[in-house]
């Protein structure tokens, strides 16, 4: 039986792609919107730009279906504002309008996949 050993690569060897050098093609400006809460009728919430979101939790949410994928995007994009956002009941028609506005802000067409580049 042959024994396999791990191959190591020296730090000075050639690489095929430098992911560290990749930069966003557009300005990743946050998306801000108003959503009144019981304590603050002018509550302002901020979502990070869609292209700057961490993909790992989004992929996990997407495995659960479209509604979970959308909720996952909101959860990651809102970050610390997620809990405040969830404290106020949200009708589905407002969620759809918010998501459409967020997609447009991020350079995507409504219905376009998160994996799409938007360009």
């Amino acid at each position: 039986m042959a024994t396999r050993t791990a191959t190591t690569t020296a730090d000075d060897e050639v690489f095929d792609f430098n992911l560290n050098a990749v930069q966003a093609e557009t300005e990743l400006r946050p998306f801000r919107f108003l959503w009144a809460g019981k304590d603050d009728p002018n509550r302002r919430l901020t979502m990070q730009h869609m292209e700057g979101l961490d993909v790992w939790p989004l992929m996990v949410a997407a495995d659960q279906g479209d509604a979970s994928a959308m909720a996952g995007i909101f959860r990651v994009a809102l970050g610390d504002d997620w809990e405040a956002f969830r404290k106020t009941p949200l009708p589905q028609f407002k969620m759809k309008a918010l998501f459409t506005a967020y997609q447009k802000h991020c350079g995507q067409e409504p219905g376009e996949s998160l994996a799409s580049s938007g360009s």
Side-chain angles (χ1 to χ4, degrees):
M1 172 187 267
T3 305
R4 294 187 79 187
T5 57
T7 2
T8 57
T9 304
D11 285 344
D12 62 347
E13 288 193 27
V14 177
F15 50 85
D16 296 309
F17 182 74
N18 184 356
L19 186 56
N20 297 323
V22 175
Q23 298 294 319
E25 294 179 6
T26 61
E27 180 186 359
L28 302 181
R29 191 172 53 85
F31 175 73
R32 293 176 180 88
F33 64 99
L34 294 177
W35 180 232
K38 289 180 183 178
D39 301 331
D40 185 358
N42 293 309
R43 179 176 55 185
R44 179 181 230 181
L45 299 170
T46 301
M47 295 173 71
Q48 296 308 307
H49 194 283
M50 195 178 291
E51 289 200 17
L53 301 180
D54 181 5
V55 298
W56 304 123
L58 300 180
M59 290 171 44
V60 170
D63 283 344
Q64 306 303 311
D66 289 347
S68 290
M70 185 183 293
I73 289 169
F74 278 104
R75 183 172 36 257
V76 174
L78 284 161
D80 292 341
D81 284 341
W82 172 246
E83 290 305 321
F85 179 66
R86 291 193 57 202
K87 286 182 180 178
T88 303
L90 181 64
Q92 188 171 350
F93 73 92
K94 287 192 179 208
M95 174 66 100
K96 287 179 183 179
L98 177 60
F99 193 67
T100 297
Y102 178 55
Q103 283 182 300
K104 287 180 182 178
H105 170 83
C106 295
Q108 293 190 342
E109 293 296 321
E112 187 175 347
S113 165
L114 178 62
S116 299
S117 67
S119 56

